[in-house]
Amino acid sequence: MAQQETDEQINDGFVVDTEDCEARELAHRERGTARPITVVGNPVLHKECKDVTEFDDKLAALIDDMFASQKAAEGVGLAANQIGVDLKVFVYDCPDDDGVRHTGVVVNPVLQDLPADRRVLDDSNEGCLSVPTAYASLARPDYAEVHGQDAKGNPIKVRGTGYFARCLQHETDHLYGYLYIDRLSKRDRKDALRQMAEGTPRYETVPND
C-alpha cells in the first residue's frame, strides 16, 4: 500500500480519493506486475466472488498487480476477477464528468440503493476490458455510492457522479458475477459480442478453453 492511502482524509464519511492520485497510482503499479485480462466466457467472471477476509501483504500485492494490469490495459477500473482472482476487490483510476481524477481501491464493495428522487439515468456508452473492443449504450444512475473496506480492513464509503459513478457500478457488478453486457437487451448483447469477435484487443488476454 502507498502511505497516502492509509492516511486518507475522510469527508462526511466518504474517502477523499482525489488527492495525490498520480503518486499513489504510480507507487502501486511500480510494485505490481501486469497480468493478462480474463474475457467473457471465463467462469470466474460469471459468479459472485468470495469476500476478502485476510487484509495482509498478499492482498496488498494483489492490489499492486491490479493497478499495474489496469494501466497496461488502459482501463479506468479493474475488478479482481478480471485478472482471474476470485475475491471482492476493485481498483479505479477514473475521471468524473468534471475531469476530476479519482484513484483508489474498494474491498468487499456493496452498491447502495438510491431513492427514486436520486435515480437520474445516464445512457452513455459503456465498454469493458473483459469484452474488448465492444461498446454499447447502457442506462445507469448518474450518481453511485459504494460502501466497503480499504486494504487494511477499515470501513470506507466512495461516491461518484457521471462517468465515475458508472465506473463504481460497473466494477461492483463484476464482483457479483455481472458484465455490463448482461444488462443489455438480447439484440444489443449480441451486437457487443459481434464487435468483440471482429476486434483485436490492444492488451494481453487469457484465452478461454
Side-chain angles (χ1 to χ4, degrees):
M1 284 292 295
Q3 182 62 36
Q4 292 91 334
E5 283 198 2
T6 62
D7 297 332
E8 276 180 326
Q9 291 178 289
I10 304 295
N11 179 27
D12 296 330
F14 290 91
V15 168
V16 177
D17 57 6
T18 56
E19 297 178 352
D20 301 319
C21 291
E22 185 74 26
R24 291 189 290 116
E25 189 273 340
L26 179 61
H28 278 302
R29 61 184 169 88
E30 284 188 336
R31 291 191 300 264
T33 301
R35 306 190 200 179
I37 304 296
T38 56
V39 296
V40 58
N42 189 307
V44 74
L45 294 174
H46 302 282
K47 64 176 183 176
E48 180 174 346
C49 293
K50 297 175 183 175
D51 290 340
V52 173
T53 57
E54 304 269 343
F55 295 84
D56 53 13
D57 290 346
K58 187 175 180 181
L59 176 62
L62 170 63
I63 291 168
D64 290 341
D65 285 357
M66 290 173 67
F67 272 103
S69 302
Q70 174 179 256
K71 183 69 172 183
E74 301 178 15
V76 296
L78 187 77
N81 54 355
Q82 292 185 273
I83 55 169
V85 178
D86 183 13
L87 287 174
K88 285 181 182 166
V89 188
F90 75 78
V91 302
Y92 59 90
D93 187 18
C94 182
D96 59 28
D97 283 359
D98 294 322
V100 177
R101 183 177 180 180
H102 299 259
T103 303
V105 56
V106 186
V107 181
N108 298 328
V110 177
L111 185 67
Q112 302 302 294
D113 290 331
L114 297 178
D117 62 348
R118 296 294 298 273
R119 290 182 60 84
V120 179
L121 296 180
D122 169 22
D123 62 355
S124 296
N125 261 13
E126 190 160 329
C128 179
L129 297 178
S130 292
V131 193
T133 73
Y135 296 89
S137 174
L138 177 62
R140 290 192 190 264
D142 70 353
Y143 172 84
E145 185 177 312
V146 172
H147 295 188
Q149 294 164 282
D150 66 14
K152 300 296 185 183
N154 303 306
I156 58 170
K157 297 189 291 184
V158 182
R159 61 185 170 187
T161 59
Y163 186 53
F164 181 43
R166 182 175 294 274
C167 175
L168 293 174
Q169 295 168 81
H170 180 111
E171 301 308 330
T172 302
D173 268 357
H174 267 302
L175 300 176
Y176 289 86
Y178 294 100
L179 297 166
Y180 86 97
I181 59 172
D182 296 328
R183 298 190 178 278
L184 300 174
S185 68
K186 288 183 179 179
R187 179 179 178 179
D188 288 345
R189 177 189 169 93
K190 184 177 180 180
D191 182 64
L193 292 174
R194 177 193 57 77
Q195 292 179 54
M196 176 180 164
E198 293 177 353
T200 301
R202 62 182 181 275
Y203 45 84
E204 185 181 0
T205 60
V206 179
N208 292 329
D209 295 331

